[in-house]
């Protein structure tokens, strides 16, 4: 039988136990609160760095705004010029690393030549990549993994520029050393022509009200004419400000799994599509290679990183790149201990004017590892198709207008460099490919008033970068 003193002791122990539980719960809540505060600050800084600080209730700007359309076309002009420059240097013996860095440096240089006092960011929207033969995309290696081009290599060149988060991206395929006198033949010619005409046909189907599946079927039809297949589960994304991969996308050659949770959208006026056609001479499937991943992109995920080095990497990447992809190679140092990040990329400062230190290469690798583990970062792996098969890619940035689509990124492509035993036999596709697009009226420039000079045309006439022409095909 308990005496009075024992009872008091039991009650005291029970109260103390409950109190300890409450204190533990409060400490957990406080820790989560601190974590949320720290991640919110990082997220807030990243949003301001990328220009993505608009509330959900505000109307999302689109190409109906002349200012937005002009920023897209300014980015497109730089993308088009960079594509021409890099492709012209793609000869036997050229270093892939040097070519990729040349493209990135050119974009940084050109985006730094205008609107120097603007509060918005501009620069690389996708690092320059040169993927060879059976590799799909995203090959932009570290210096230790450099390779050189050879005659006969099937090259996929891809890159992108952004102005205030408005992205113009492009990709094209070609065979090193191919000439009219000695054209590429066989599977290489088949996949390149299939991808080129597939992209040309897809652009012409991007009319207001067209079901997404109709666009996908067109690509499937064209590539089949060349005994090729689109890569499974590729997407034509609708791009938005600071979003390379928007919420909507047209699924091409979807697998059973790929189709499960995907709804094909309907093409809408003012959409901006990344028409990305990847075609293989193989089965249509691919796998990740053993090549090192070098391209990454931060995601809008809140998490308090534990490592000081990880936080340094994240804060720098967040301030420098926002939500645009970047290359790990930017942090590699040369014999003079200089890196692309320290010598080529814009110098960063905190709000109180202090310089933000560029993280070391090893710090970036450690930061990437922790960020990836907690979903703060997406990686762009290099993938490949079966041995002995090839992949070709053509990618365009396309405006959807009420009357007609308008392509703003262009490529220099000559079909006579590729000799295939296949051709377009479907008369419906042949007629579609003859439709004229990219036709936009030039605005007459007003004469400047007396004593005044006209403002420089930063973007140039993006629509006149290439002469619109229907794709040449033979119908049997």
């Amino acid at each position: 039988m308990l005496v009075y003193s024992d009872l008091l002791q039991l009650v005291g122990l029970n109260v103390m136990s409950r109190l300890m539980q409450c204190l533990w719960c409060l400490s957990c809540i406080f820790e989560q609160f601190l974590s949320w505060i720290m991640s919110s600050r990082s997220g807030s800084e990243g949003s301001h760095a990328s220009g993505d600080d608009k509330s959900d209730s505000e109307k999302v700007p689109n190409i109906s705004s002349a200012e937005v359309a002009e920023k897209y076309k300014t980015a497109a002009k730089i993308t088009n010029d960079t594509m021409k420059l890099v492709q012209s240097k793609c000869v036997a013996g050229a270093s892939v690393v040097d070519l990729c860095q040349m493209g990135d440096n050119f974009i940084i240089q050109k985006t730094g030549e205008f609107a120097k006092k603007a509060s918005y960011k501009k620069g690389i929207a996708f690092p320059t990549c040169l993927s060879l033969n059976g590799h799909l995309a995203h090959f932009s290696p570290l210096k230790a993994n450099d390779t050189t081009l050879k005659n006969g290599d099937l090259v996929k060149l891809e890159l992108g520029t952004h102005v205030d988060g408005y992205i113009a991206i492009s990709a094209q395929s070609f065979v090193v050393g191919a000439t009219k006198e000695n054209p590429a033949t066989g599977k290489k010619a088949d996949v390149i022509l299939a991808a080129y005409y597939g992209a040309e046909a897809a652009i012409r189907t991007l009319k207001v009200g067209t079901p997404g599946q109709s666009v996908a079927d067109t690509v499937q039809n064209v590539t089949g004419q060349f005994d090729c297949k689109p890569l499974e589960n590729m997407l034509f994304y609708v791009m938005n400000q600071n979003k390379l991969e928007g919420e909507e996308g047209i699924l091409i050659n979807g697998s059973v799994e790929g189709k499960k949770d995907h709804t094909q959208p309907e093409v809408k006026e003012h959409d901006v599509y990344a028409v990305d056609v990847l075609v293989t001479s193989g089965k249509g499937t691919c796998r990740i290679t053993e090549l090192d991943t070098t391209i990454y992109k931060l995601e809008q995920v809140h998490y308090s990183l534990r490592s000081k080095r990880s936080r340094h990497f994240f804060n720098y990447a967040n301030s420098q790149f926002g939500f645009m992809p970047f290359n790990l190679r930017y942090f590699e140092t040369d014999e003079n201990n200089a890196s692309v990040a320290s010598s080529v990329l814009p110098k960063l400062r905190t709000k109180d004017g202090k310089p933000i230190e560029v993280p070391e290469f090893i710090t970036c690798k450690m930061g990437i590892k922790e960020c990836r583990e907690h979903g703060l970062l997406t990686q762009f792996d290099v993938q490949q198709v079966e041995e002995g098969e090839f992949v070709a890619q053509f990618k365009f940035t396309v405006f959807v207008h009420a009357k007609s689509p308008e392509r703003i990124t262009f490529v220099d492509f000559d079909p006579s460099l590729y000799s295939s035993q296949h051709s377009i036999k479907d008369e419906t596709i042949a007629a579609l490919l003859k439709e004229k697009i990219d036709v936009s009226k030039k605005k007459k420039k007003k004469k400047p008033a007396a004593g005044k000079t006209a403002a420089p045309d930063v973007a140039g006439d993006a629509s006149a970068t290439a002469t619109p022409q229907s794709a040449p095909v033979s119908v049997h």
Side-chain angles (χ1 to χ4, degrees), residues 26-40:
L26 284 171
S27 69
C28 290
I29 292 170
F30 185 66
E31 184 179 351
Q32 289 179 358
F33 176 73
L34 284 177
S35 173
W36 177 81
I37 288 293
M38 291 180 69
S39 59
S40 293

Side-chain angles (χ1 to χ4, degrees), residues 381-400:
D381 296 314
V382 182
Q383 300 183 60
Q384 69 179 34
V385 293
E386 313 93 283
E387 194 70 32
E389 304 297 343
F390 297 94
V391 178
Q393 178 188 27
F394 283 87
K395 182 184 255 186
F396 301 100
T397 302
V398 181
F399 288 174
V400 178

Side-chain angles (χ1 to χ4, degrees), residues 3 14 31 77 102 112 150 195 212 266 289 300 314 319 439 449:
V3 296
N14 187 42
E31 184 179 351
K77 176 67 166 59
M102 177 197 300
K150 302 184 294 292
E266 187 177 274
T289 69
Q300 286 180 296
F314 178 86
S319 300
V439 180

Side-chain angles (χ1 to χ4, degrees), residues 190-199 201 216-231 252-253 277-281 392 422-424 429:
D190 295 341
V191 290
I192 287 180
L193 292 174
Y196 174 69
Y197 290 131
D217 291 343
T218 298
V219 175
Q220 196 94 29
N221 189 345
V222 173
T223 56
Q225 306 275 307
F226 292 89
D227 197 22
C228 295
K229 291 182 179 179
L231 263 295
I252 310 297
N253 191 21
V277 176
L278 279 149
V279 176
T280 175
S281 57
H422 304 288
S423 60
I424 303 291
I429 295 296

Side-chain angles (χ1 to χ4, degrees), residues 6-21:
D6 293 332
L7 183 62
L8 284 177
Q9 187 176 5
L10 283 174
V11 171
L13 287 172
N14 187 42
V15 170
M16 184 62 71
S17 175
R18 291 292 181 90
L19 183 60
M20 291 297 292
Q21 288 179 1

Side-chain angles (χ1 to χ4, degrees), residues 271-323:
D271 279 347
V272 179
Y273 271 95
V275 173
D276 190 9
V277 176
L278 279 149
V279 176
T280 175
S281 57
K283 299 176 182 178
T285 56
C286 58
R287 60 179 176 84
I288 295 176
T289 69
E290 295 179 356
L291 296 170
D292 291 339
T293 299
T294 59
I295 299 177
Y296 301 90
K297 179 174 75 71
L298 296 183
E299 297 294 340
Q300 286 180 296
V301 176
H302 295 312
Y303 178 79
S304 181
L305 294 165
R306 298 186 180 280
S307 164
K308 183 178 178 180
R309 284 189 167 187
S310 296
R311 292 196 297 272
H312 182 194
F313 158 74
F314 178 86
N315 290 332
Y316 179 87
N318 193 25
S319 300
Q320 183 69 265
F321 310 113
F323 300 114

